[in-house]
Amino acid sequence: MELLKANNIKITPQRLAIVRLMDEYGHISVREIFEKIKENFPSLSLATVYKNINAMMENRFINELKIVGQENKYELVKERHSHLICRRCGHIEDVKIDTSKLEESVPAETGFAVEESSVQFFGLCRACQSKK
Amino acid sequence: MELLKANNIKITPQRLAIVRLMDEYGHISVREIFEKIKENFPSLSLATVYKNINAMMENRFINELKIVGQENKYELVKERHSHLICRRCGHIEDVKIDTSKLEESVPAETGFAVEESSVQFFGLCRACQSKK
DNA sequence: GTACTTGCAAATACTTTGCAAGTTT
DNA sequence: AAACTTGCAAAGTATTTGCAAGTAC
């Protein structure tokens, strides 16, 4: 995990903590990162979290996830996947689906050259379905 | 178009101007709405734009569109559709594709009950492809 | 030792709120 | 006339920046 520190980006305890949280939670907001790390590392500054999130995005270690009704979330870059978003509890889950047919379904007459697609599914997670 | 003013929402010149802009541009940000309306209507306040955007979202006349690397955009509610987003010029285009197979493709073992899906395609629009 | 990173404080950007005056129905 | 909307100013929230001190390599 720490091996992510490939490029021109130095390893600091702050950065390790951020990467570990992302790995643990999968999808996490700046505020959540800050609050959780601050518990064990009270000197941490919010500005540092922002700077590191930005540096990691520039280095393509992480992705930004924008979801209607939620704070922006960040996730470690991994295999392409889509997201299942629970409308009740807000939980986000990864799901691997094949989007190649989807990308082909863009009508040729649009003339748009698709490079990538991003799919969000909204609904109810298993846990929230059982809660009546 | 002005007939959108169904519910408990009064017709004001500000609101008409916002709806007309959305109809004209398809997808537009708060800043763009403010700047464009302000040209012909200098007393307009940014707070009014925000209040109206929020009122229209509550009344489901408009949708919010969150796109990585862009300001939030708003669009009039119409038939379900997906978005083609040009990585070069940022232009957003609507496209109608059938997402029913897509929604069925969420693996049954996730236990997630899909209600709706949202697809964004990233790539190059026709105009930007020809610009070398 | 050099270059980069941190934390702080200040600056900037984005969005919401309270309220008096004005508008819509 | 009642209820809602506007514009303004202030408050609130989110994000970025400059810089001196500290850290990674």
Side-chain angles (χ1 to χ4, degrees):
Chain A
M1 194 41 61
E2 281 63 307
L3 319 180
L4 285 172
K5 307 307 186 165
N7 299 23
N8 37 10
I9 184 168
K10 288 181 179 170
I11 299 179
T12 66
Q14 293 86 339
R15 286 177 178 162
L16 282 177
I18 292 173
V19 169
R20 287 189 178 126
L21 272 182
M22 282 193 189
D23 187 45
E24 180 180 354
Y25 287 89
H27 315 87
I28 190 166
S29 69
V30 167
R31 181 188 54 76
E32 290 165 334
I33 291 170
F34 179 66
E35 290 173 358
K36 285 184 196 300
I37 299 181
K38 192 120 182 143
E39 289 171 11
N40 302 305
F41 198 153
S43 73
L44 178 72
S45 151
L46 234 199
T48 298
V49 179
Y50 277 108
K51 284 171 188 165
N52 284 331
I53 290 285
N54 289 337
M56 291 176 188
M57 288 211 284
E58 279 158 22
N59 284 283
R60 315 209 175 254
F61 295 172
I62 67 174
N63 281 326
E64 188 175 52
L65 246 180
K66 290 186 161 196
I67 298 174
V68 169
Q70 297 199 12
E71 297 175 289
N72 287 350
K73 298 283 164 61
Y74 300 87
E75 63 179 0
L76 296 176
V77 167
K78 39 188 181 289
E79 264 192 304
R80 287 286 175 72
H81 60 272
S82 301
H83 292 109
L84 304 176
I85 301 156
C86 181
R87 280 189 161 138
R88 173 101 64 115
C89 70
H91 182 254
I92 305 167
E93 196 173 337
D94 289 349
V95 65
K96 235 188 127 314
I97 61 172
D98 176 23
T99 56
S100 56
K101 280 169 220 122
L102 183 69
E103 293 174 9
E104 290 160 13
S105 75
V106 172
E109 65 267 20
T110 63
F112 190 90
V114 175
E115 292 170 352
E116 194 178 344
S117 59
S118 158
V119 184
Q120 297 183 345
F121 295 97
F122 293 90
L124 286 182
C125 70
R126 193 194 293 266
C128 286
Q129 289 170 59
S130 34
K131 290 182 210 140
K132 185 193 52 28
Chain B
M1 193 42 58
E2 282 61 309
L3 320 180
L4 285 172
K5 306 307 186 167
N7 300 24
N8 37 10
I9 185 167
K10 289 181 179 170
I11 299 179
T12 65
Q14 293 86 340
R15 285 177 178 163
L16 283 177
I18 292 173
V19 169
R20 287 189 179 125
L21 273 183
M22 282 192 188
D23 187 44
E24 181 181 353
Y25 288 89
H27 315 87
I28 190 166
S29 70
V30 167
R31 182 188 53 76
E32 290 166 334
I33 291 171
F34 179 66
E35 289 173 359
K36 285 182 195 301
I37 299 181
K38 192 120 181 145
E39 289 172 11
N40 303 306
F41 198 155
S43 72
L44 178 72
S45 151
L46 234 199
T48 298
V49 179
Y50 277 107
K51 284 171 188 166
N52 284 331
I53 290 286
N54 288 336
M56 291 176 186
M57 286 211 285
E58 279 158 22
N59 285 283
R60 314 207 175 256
F61 294 173
I62 66 175
N63 281 327
E64 188 175 52
L65 247 179
K66 290 187 161 194
I67 299 173
V68 169
Q70 297 200 11
E71 298 174 289
N72 287 350
K73 297 283 164 61
Y74 300 87
E75 63 179 359
L76 296 175
V77 167
K78 39 187 182 292
E79 265 192 304
R80 287 285 176 75
H81 59 273
S82 301
H83 293 107
L84 304 176
I85 301 155
C86 181
R87 280 188 163 139
R88 173 100 65 114
C89 70
H91 181 255
I92 305 168
E93 197 175 336
D94 290 349
V95 66
K96 235 189 128 315
I97 61 171
D98 176 22
T99 58
S100 56
K101 281 169 221 122
L102 182 69
E103 292 173 10
E104 289 160 13
S105 75
V106 172
E109 66 267 19
T110 64
F112 190 90
V114 175
E115 293 169 352
E116 193 178 345
S117 59
S118 159
V119 184
Q120 297 184 344
F121 294 97
F122 294 90
L124 287 182
C125 70
R126 194 193 292 266
C128 286
Q129 288 170 60
S130 33
K131 287 182 211 142
K132 183 194 52 34

